[in-house]
Amino acid sequence: MTYVRNAWYVAEWSVNVPVGKPFGTTILGEPIVIFRKPDGGLAAMANRCVHRGAPLSLGRCEADGLRCMYHGMLYNAAGCVTEIPGQDAVPPNAKVKTYPVVEKDSWVWVWMGDTVADAALVPKAIGLDDPNWLLGHGHMDYDAEAQLINDNLLDFSHLSYVHASSFQVGDSFAQEQPVVTPLDRGIRYERWTTNAAPPLGANPTLRFDNYITYDFLIPGILLMWSGGFPLGTAAKFNHGRPDFDLACNGVNFTNQAVTPLQPGKARYLFSWGPHCKHGDAILRDNMIKLAYVAFNEDKTMIEAQQKVLHRSPDFQIMPSRHDRTVLLYTRLVEKLAKQEVA
Ligand code: FES
Ligand SMILES: [Fe+2]
């Protein structure tokens, strides 16, 4: 599978990396440990002690450093061994690879490229502490390639079938095509459903023009908001992007991230919830419960698909019209990956 390396990958929710508790993960097959220093700053380095390869994520945070708890070598935040119990000298090559790491919008992001990390390339998500939104959050681990989850998130026609009983959006997501716009580092998806039941949390007998839009960005970040508008709004905006302030019902936002851990394994992190003017904590909690139901439906389908593909190495997809979003994004990934190699 092809993935872009010069990108910020979401390693974990910030709240799950507290001071004093190293967090071990893999990204693009590389074992990484992330730990929080007493001043709140983060450090990320290879999760493999230079001595005998023990995982540093089983280590102990000490001041600004991390001690391997097998034979006690102490690392500073720059990945250098500063102390070896029982000997005075530390060899100059006693160090592990470090990774640029930033914390933004409630996520811990790790730069996997060999080039200088570009802070401007962190996608603009919405943090759990944003006062405008009431976001709940969660994650699930997949026995599947991250690319299959990306493909799923790029083709919402599956909502009509995979989520027939959870999201209950009817068949319009499959029958009608969205408006898709290429972006520098992703694609933008937009669609209207006119004269429809409210998205969430309102009297289901009422009717609205529902709008949904998301950006799907390298390396697998989905940022989506949707909401209900007064009937006639879709026509008023010529079925294009509406004025957000005109939304009158069910405005909600979701951040989602797909991180390739290693071949055949991925982590899916998500938040979801209402705008503070369109819901409360009870609605948020119900949305997260619904998200777990729906995202488990995706997981069941994608992991089963992964098993079939694993047994069919020569299988070639037969794209449908809905696949143009998948193809646009896949071509972008291949182009950027090729530039990296060049
Ligand atoms: S493996 Fe880490 S100190 Fe021995
Ligand atoms: Fe889905």
Side-chain angles (χ1 to χ4, degrees), residues 49 51-54 68 70-73:
C49 180
H51 179 218
R52 288 186 172 273
C68 177
Y70 198 172
H71 312 96
M73 290 192 187

Side-chain angles (χ1 to χ4, degrees), residues 8-14 16-17 23-27 32-34 42 44 101-102 107-112 139 141 221 257-259 261 267-269:
W8 294 96
Y9 283 85
V10 176
E12 185 50 314
W13 288 104
S14 290
N16 294 341
V17 190
F23 170 76
T25 187
T26 55
I27 303 177
I32 296 172
V33 59
I34 301 166
L42 292 171
V101 57
V102 296
W107 270 334
V108 175
W109 306 77
V110 175
W111 178 262
M112 294 302 294
H139 78 264
D141 286 340
I221 309 296
V258 182
T259 301
L261 302 180
R267 175 160 284 201
Y268 177 49
L269 307 102

Side-chain angles (χ1 to χ4, degrees), residues 125-323:
I126 290 181
L128 303 177
D129 55 353
D130 188 310
N132 293 309
W133 302 90
L134 291 159
L135 300 178
H137 73 287
H139 78 264
M140 48 180 64
D141 286 340
Y142 269 71
D143 286 323
E145 272 298 325
Q147 186 175 318
L148 295 185
I149 309 171
N150 292 344
D151 295 349
N152 165 280
L153 295 171
L154 286 157
D155 178 0
F156 267 26
S157 67
H158 81 270
L159 266 69
S160 297
Y161 301 100
V162 174
H163 306 307
S165 60
S166 55
F167 286 144
Q168 298 185 26
V169 294
D171 64 0
S172 71
F173 273 79
Q175 294 297 339
E176 296 160 17
Q177 293 290 331
V179 174
V180 178
T181 313
L183 305 173
D184 283 350
R185 300 232 344 146
I187 64 108
R188 175 162 296 163
Y189 174 110
E190 294 173 273
R191 79 193 305 279
W192 282 97
T193 312
T194 54
N195 196 22
L200 288 159
N203 180 344
T205 62
L206 299 176
R207 286 293 174 268
F208 298 89
D209 283 355
N210 292 333
Y211 177 76
I212 174 171
T213 183
Y214 64 83
D215 289 354
F216 194 84
L217 304 171
I218 300 284
I221 309 296
L222 178 142
L223 307 169
M224 177 171 101
W225 70 266
S226 55
F229 291 75
L231 292 178
T233 307
K236 183 176 166 193
F237 286 89
N238 203 19
H239 287 256
R241 196 173 186 81
D243 178 352
F244 179 89
D245 291 336
L246 297 178
C248 59
N249 175 261
V251 177
N252 64 90
F253 189 89
T254 172
N255 301 282
Q256 301 181 15
V258 182
T259 301
L261 302 180
Q262 58 193 64
K265 298 216 178 281
R267 175 160 284 201
Y268 177 49
L269 307 102
F270 53 87
S271 68
W272 195 26
H275 191 274
C276 60
K277 290 185 190 156
H278 295 267
D280 54 19
I282 293 171
L283 177 59
R284 173 198 64 202
D285 293 346
N286 286 335
M287 289 170 78
I288 285 295
K289 271 187 213 150
L290 176 61
Y292 269 106
V293 171
F295 297 163
N296 268 308
E297 292 168 341
D298 289 310
K299 183 169 147 74
T300 299
M301 180 62 78
I302 292 169
E303 289 183 342
Q305 176 197 21
Q306 177 70 80
K307 284 188 185 143
V308 173
L309 295 178
H310 187 67
R311 290 192 294 264
S312 330
D314 297 328
F315 174 77
Q316 296 288 323
I317 62 159
M318 188 215 71
S320 72
R321 202 171 153 211
H322 278 292
D323 276 302

